[in-house]
Amino acid sequence: FPQRVHEAQRAQRGGGWKPAGFAFLSALPVIQEVIPPELVATFSQNLVSGSGNITIRNLTDSIDTAVPVSDSGVSISGNLLMIETAGLVDWNRNYAIQIDPGAVGDDTGASFAGISDDTTWNFTTTAPDTTKPTPNPMSFAVPLPNWN
């Protein structure tokens, strides 16, 4: 799978904090040629679970799937929030991830202000290329010795 390479800085806003960066499983532009096994957000502080949902928005089909932060498919490790994608993400779709205010917080008791738009965290999946490769006969050619 592609490495986590995309990070976008976010500033603190109001009384809650915004993540210092999000790490996705692809490079920009955010197009996945494979469905990632998990979505990963990197925050500036270590996280604790709060209450609320993470919503996976299928923008192509206008389907929203709310996943409670207490769900077994959601995990927190240090400053990483991870969401398993099995059964939630499909090929050839545009997605956005939204997080309810207070769904996660830091270990000092501050709550994350949330993500309520479709642009802060979004990605696109594409169908895998199933075309069989065509061998190039020239790549197998062996040069003849020079008999001169």
Side-chain angles (χ1 to χ4, degrees):
F1 293 104
Q3 294 181 1
R4 298 174 184 136
V5 295
H6 171 62
E7 292 194 12
Q9 295 298 315
R10 303 284 175 225
Q12 286 189 341
R13 296 182 186 166
W17 47 271
K18 286 286 185 183
F22 287 107
F24 297 105
L25 299 177
S26 78
L28 291 175
V30 183
I31 297 176
Q32 298 290 139
E33 292 184 7
V34 296
I35 294 177
E38 62 185 12
L39 303 172
V40 179
T42 303
F43 289 80
S44 58
Q45 294 92 348
N46 286 336
L47 299 174
V48 295
S49 184
S51 62
N53 293 320
I54 298 167
T55 302
I56 300 174
R57 303 198 69 216
N58 176 335
L59 302 174
T60 305
D61 299 323
S62 300
I63 299 171
D64 290 353
T65 303
V67 180
V69 293
S70 59
D71 187 88
S72 63
V74 177
S75 60
I76 291 173
S77 177
N79 67 334
L80 301 177
L81 172 66
M82 296 160 285
I83 308 148
E84 293 179 13
T85 61
L88 300 173
V89 176
D90 202 1
W91 302 110
N92 289 326
R93 303 289 186 274
N94 297 314
Y95 290 93
I97 307 302
Q98 295 185 358
I99 302 174
D100 287 349
V104 293
D106 69 12
D107 51 11
T108 68
S111 292
F112 175 54
I115 299 173
S116 60
D117 61 70
D118 293 338
T119 57
T120 300
W121 186 356
N122 62 57
F123 62 96
T124 299
T125 59
T126 61
D129 183 1
T130 58
T131 307
K132 293 181 181 178
T134 304
N136 178 349
M138 293 309 294
S139 66
F140 299 105
V142 177
L144 295 174
N146 185 353
W147 299 101
N148 292 336

